[in-house]
Amino acid sequence: MLELRGAANSAILMSGLENLPYFALKLQEQFQAKKARNKRYSLRSYAQFLEMNPGTLSSIIKGKRLVPLQEAAKIMQKLSLAPKDQEQFLLSLGVNTPPDSASYKLDPSRYAVIFDEWEYFVVLAAFRLADFKSTTSWIANKTGITELRVDECLETMEDLAIISRKGAVWVRSHKNLYSTHDIPSRSLQQAHLNSLIMARQMLSRVPVPERDYSFLTVALDEKRFKKLKKLTLKFRDDVFDLDEQSKKGELYRVNLQCFPILSPKSK
């Protein structure tokens, strides 16, 4: 029977919590909070609230299976998880590896302008070049962005404490930056749209030997799709390792996309 009733069933749920992954702990925590307010509140009612199959939720809440990745954003929203809890929730699903201590999280709600306008991340990437010079003209020459726009970007990023001045030299305030993952965000959507527009423009502008565009269309079940997402995240981390090893070079934008051919609305 899926419905859990009475103190005995609550004790069964709460036993062995220290061995459960974070996502299961948060789901159990909220279930117990709801049950404390209404002793007749059942697991079936909780599943209905989360818009999940009761049998699936029963396995997830016991730590026997993962939350489906396509359901994670919706569930975190329904649980009203704070940004830090959302990050831990996703990490416990194996979505990404924890950032190192030198990394800083850019909250899209606070740093919306950085995501909305493509020039910011390009200017910031120029700081990584070994021959970087703290002049507007040098950055403009390396990025193809006008000097006026470079000045605007530098001023805004200084106001947001993303960069700072040390004498006459511009420096990044953090070695690495990262954002939320698998959490709906209008600013992140705009950042991805900017990358797609750039990729489309460069397709005809850049000679074939100097670029790489490719795609695959594959048929994957849910388990393999989860593995695909992990592979793309690992690839991204590997690209950052290449960036750390580079001494000189040019700026490159690397885009990775994977999406179903039929969107949920068209099914």
Side-chain angles (χ1 to χ4, degrees), residues 123-136:
V123 170
L124 197 58
F127 282 55
R128 292 184 176 275
L129 294 171
D131 56 342
F132 175 75
K133 292 181 175 56
S134 294
T135 65
T136 300

Side-chain angles (χ1 to χ4, degrees), residues 86-147:
Q86 292 180 1
E87 185 176 333
Q88 288 299 115
F89 193 95
L90 291 170
L91 288 174
S92 69
L93 294 175
V95 169
N96 204 350
T97 55
D100 59 42
S101 58
S103 299
Y104 179 75
K105 182 178 179 180
L106 287 180
D107 183 348
S109 62
R110 179 185 174 190
Y111 299 94
V113 65
I114 306 298
F115 292 91
D116 288 350
E117 300 168 14
W118 66 269
E119 295 98 335
Y120 286 97
F121 281 115
V122 175
V123 170
L124 197 58
F127 282 55
R128 292 184 176 275
L129 294 171
D131 56 342
F132 175 75
K133 292 181 175 56
S134 294
T135 65
T136 300
S137 59
W138 187 91
I139 297 173
N141 184 59
K142 276 289 184 179
T143 62
I145 301 170
T146 66
E147 292 189 27

Side-chain angles (χ1 to χ4, degrees), residues 109-210:
S109 62
R110 179 185 174 190
Y111 299 94
V113 65
I114 306 298
F115 292 91
D116 288 350
E117 300 168 14
W118 66 269
E119 295 98 335
Y120 286 97
F121 281 115
V122 175
V123 170
L124 197 58
F127 282 55
R128 292 184 176 275
L129 294 171
D131 56 342
F132 175 75
K133 292 181 175 56
S134 294
T135 65
T136 300
S137 59
W138 187 91
I139 297 173
N141 184 59
K142 276 289 184 179
T143 62
I145 301 170
T146 66
E147 292 189 27
L148 178 61
R149 183 59 174 147
V150 169
D151 273 332
E152 291 174 350
C153 292
L154 292 173
E155 183 179 343
T156 300
M157 289 193 288
E158 184 179 25
D159 290 342
L160 292 171
I162 294 174
I163 61 174
S164 60
R165 277 270 192 189
K166 288 190 175 180
V169 179
W170 286 109
V171 295
R172 292 170 61 117
S173 301
H174 308 280
K175 181 181 178 182
N176 296 312
L177 299 171
Y178 70 100
S179 65
T180 55
H181 185 80
D182 272 2
I183 298 173
S185 165
R186 185 208 59 78
S187 290
L188 281 176
Q189 287 181 357
Q190 184 59 50
H192 294 314
L193 179 59
N194 292 340
S195 286
L196 292 172
I197 293 172
M198 291 173 67
R200 180 178 180 179
Q201 292 172 341
M202 295 304 175
L203 183 61
S204 58
R205 295 179 186 177
V206 179
V208 173
E210 297 176 22

